[in-house]
Amino acid sequence: MLETNAPLEEVFSNHAQGLVRFLYRKVKNWEDAEDIAQNAFIRIQRLTESGELENPKAYLYQTASNLAIDKIRREKLHTNYIQSETADPAFGVTSGESDAYCPERQLRAKEQLKKVENALQQLPVKCRQAFMLHRLRNMSYNDIAIEMGVSVSSVEKYILQALKHCRKTLKD
């Protein structure tokens, strides 16, 4: 009797390495490429088992390519959102103030820094840790995820939560 996963196993063994290399060229990160490849295999599993696919390799690569494009779009949106949030006047960044050494601006900056420090202390530990690793050590989301033992999406959520909380604190 033929095992039900045989078609998928065959597609996997024949194309997994090539698919990951293909995805790496798109996303520039080996872990993301491997995750996307795994998700693509999961998505085509039912179709390969039922024999509904005429060309599993083409469908696999197209599915993986679409998943990679979605990831790139999400990251771009996330980056744009973070940039727009941190360029907000609530963070003290305005284009009209060119004299960074004027006493009023220094005093306002110290007050805002104190508010941000207090806001960060109110955050959950993992949220604060992710934010500090990103902002103070300039670590990438992938590196933070590895160090904290969480997913990249969790790191994104932690940092967004920290930014929203800091913004709200500065507005109050």
Side-chain angles (χ1 to χ4, degrees), residues 24-55:
Y24 175 77
R25 288 190 295 273
K26 288 183 175 287
V27 297
K28 308 291 188 240
N29 181 297
W30 286 110
E31 290 92 17
D32 288 345
E34 290 170 351
D35 288 346
I36 293 168
Q38 181 180 7
N39 287 333
F41 278 111
I42 289 169
R43 288 197 178 187
I44 70 160
Q45 179 179 9
R46 183 180 44 83
L47 296 173
T48 57
E49 289 173 356
S50 66
E52 295 177 33
L53 290 177
E54 290 181 28
N55 187 345

Side-chain angles (χ1 to χ4, degrees), residues 69-125:
I69 289 168
D70 288 346
K71 177 165 183 47
I72 292 166
R73 284 181 184 153
R74 279 192 316 273
E75 286 178 350
K76 186 174 182 177
L77 282 171
H78 180 73
T79 300
N80 290 342
Y81 175 78
I82 297 244
Q83 288 174 348
S84 71
E85 287 296 305
T86 56
D88 192 288
F91 280 95
V93 179
T94 57
S95 59
E97 294 181 286
S98 61
D99 185 11
Y101 298 107
C102 73
E104 294 86 14
R105 179 141 186 213
Q106 288 179 347
L107 179 61
R108 191 169 59 246
K110 285 181 184 178
E111 290 171 355
Q112 287 178 334
L113 182 59
K114 189 67 176 165
K115 285 181 181 180
V116 169
E117 287 173 349
N118 291 336
L120 291 174
Q121 290 304 316
Q122 296 170 0
L123 291 170
V125 174

Side-chain angles (χ1 to χ4, degrees), residues 90-91 111-112 115-116 165-172:
F91 280 95
E111 290 171 355
Q112 287 178 334
K115 285 181 181 180
V116 169
H165 184 69
C166 289
R167 182 176 186 211
K168 182 181 181 298
T169 301
L170 287 173
K171 281 186 176 182
D172 293 345

